[in-house]
């Protein structure tokens, strides 16, 4: 029997064992496991584990490896660990309007990012920046970190007054519906 606990916290990084448990639950019900890898590089950097450990070795069937949150202008790499799952994928992308006419220009930066190791260097840097940011806001009155900082995102709860002051100074951030929780990630502009 596999038990998967559900957390109300956001920004968490799944351990290899947790991904494997989710995969086992999927397989037990005849389901495939897709991993939204927008912050996949950040998870690899946070855990000190290889991409293989966090994906196909843990039972992931399809991984969308995010490029934009790793410094690229556009694009994601979709990896099918079972080639049969990719049947007609190119046609589905085209039908959905997701096939660029000059796809090689979108694919080329991946070669440099992967070969140079920039994907991991960028993720390590972003994770360190999030940790530093979290350390800096820890002692500010009426600001609370609401989830452990495990990768490149910091989730805060702040008073309306503080949020308005930040907006007045040009800060850009997301708030959660009906709450004063704020998502601060690498893309924040001051």
């Amino acid at each position: 029997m596999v038990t998967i606990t559900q957390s109300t916290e956001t920004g968490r990084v799944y351990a290899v064992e947790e991904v494997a448990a989710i995969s086992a639950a999927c397989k037990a019900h005849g389901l495939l496991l897709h991993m939204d890898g927008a912050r996949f590089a950040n998870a690899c950097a946070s855990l000190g584990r290889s991409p293989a450990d966090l994906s196909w070795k843990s039972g992931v069937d399809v991984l969308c490896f995010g490029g934009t949150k790793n410094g690229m202008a556009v694009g994601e790499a979709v990896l099918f660990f079972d080639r049969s799952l990719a049947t007609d994928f190119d046609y589905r992308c085209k039908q959905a309007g997701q096939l660029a006419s000059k796809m090689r220009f979108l694919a080329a930066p991946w070669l440099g990012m992967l070969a140079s190791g920039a994907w991991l260097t960028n993720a390590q840097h972003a994770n360190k920046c999030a940790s530093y940011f979290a350390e800096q806001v820890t002692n500010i009155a009426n600001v609370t970190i609401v989830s452990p900082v495990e990768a490149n995102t910091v989730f805060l709860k702040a008073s309306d007054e503080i949020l308005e002051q930040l907006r007045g100074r040009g800060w850009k951030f997301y708030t959660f519906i009906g709450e004063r929780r704020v998502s601060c990630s690498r893309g924040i502009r001051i």
Side-chain angles (χ1 to χ4, degrees), residues 65-143:
F65 184 16
T68 55
K69 287 186 173 72
N70 208 315
M72 293 180 58
V74 293
E76 291 189 11
V78 181
L79 296 102
F80 292 91
F81 299 112
D82 175 351
R83 286 182 184 251
S84 69
L85 298 176
T87 303
D88 296 331
F89 181 70
D90 53 344
Y91 295 108
R92 288 187 214 137
C93 288
K94 189 173 183 178
Q95 287 174 334
Q98 297 296 313
L99 188 62
S101 62
K102 304 293 184 204
M103 191 60 102
R104 65 185 175 276
F105 295 121
L106 298 179
W110 281 98
L111 298 174
M113 188 174 72
L114 294 172
S116 69
W119 69 276
L120 187 58
T121 302
N122 291 347
Q124 290 166 334
H125 177 73
N127 290 359
K128 285 179 188 174
C129 287
S131 294
Y132 175 77
F133 180 80
E135 289 170 13
Q136 300 307 304
V137 300
T138 299
N139 295 318
I140 298 175
N142 298 319
V143 174

Side-chain angles (χ1 to χ4, degrees), residues 11-184:
R12 302 302 305 266
V13 174
Y14 286 106
V16 171
E17 299 77 21
E18 291 172 311
V19 176
I22 293 168
S23 175
C26 288
K27 304 304 183 251
H29 295 283
L31 302 171
L32 299 172
L33 178 58
H34 164 260
M35 179 181 281
D36 175 0
R39 291 180 171 84
F40 182 71
N42 301 93
C44 291
S46 176
L47 296 173
R49 300 296 293 261
S50 74
D53 289 341
L54 288 174
S55 61
W56 64 270
K57 286 185 178 179
S58 296
V60 172
D61 297 295
V62 180
L63 168 67
C64 291
F65 184 16
T68 55
K69 287 186 173 72
N70 208 315
M72 293 180 58
V74 293
E76 291 189 11
V78 181
L79 296 102
F80 292 91
F81 299 112
D82 175 351
R83 286 182 184 251
S84 69
L85 298 176
T87 303
D88 296 331
F89 181 70
D90 53 344
Y91 295 108
R92 288 187 214 137
C93 288
K94 189 173 183 178
Q95 287 174 334
Q98 297 296 313
L99 188 62
S101 62
K102 304 293 184 204
M103 191 60 102
R104 65 185 175 276
F105 295 121
L106 298 179
W110 281 98
L111 298 174
M113 188 174 72
L114 294 172
S116 69
W119 69 276
L120 187 58
T121 302
N122 291 347
Q124 290 166 334
H125 177 73
N127 290 359
K128 285 179 188 174
C129 287
S131 294
Y132 175 77
F133 180 80
E135 289 170 13
Q136 300 307 304
V137 300
T138 299
N139 295 318
I140 298 175
N142 298 319
V143 174
T144 307
I145 297 173
V146 296
S147 294
V149 178
E150 296 181 350
N152 70 325
T153 305
V154 180
F155 290 89
L156 305 172
K157 186 170 187 174
S159 68
D160 290 331
E161 179 184 349
I162 288 174
L163 297 180
E164 287 309 312
Q165 288 175 1
L166 289 171
R167 285 186 185 104
R169 293 181 181 176
W171 280 67
K172 308 286 185 196
F173 50 85
Y174 297 101
T175 55
F176 295 86
I177 297 170
E179 299 183 34
R180 293 184 315 268
R181 293 192 327 176
V182 178
S183 169
C184 300

Side-chain angles (χ1 to χ4, degrees), residues 1-14:
M1 178 174 185
V2 176
T3 304
I4 301 170
T5 58
Q6 191 174 30
S7 173
T8 58
E9 296 177 337
T10 51
R12 302 302 305 266
V13 174
Y14 286 106

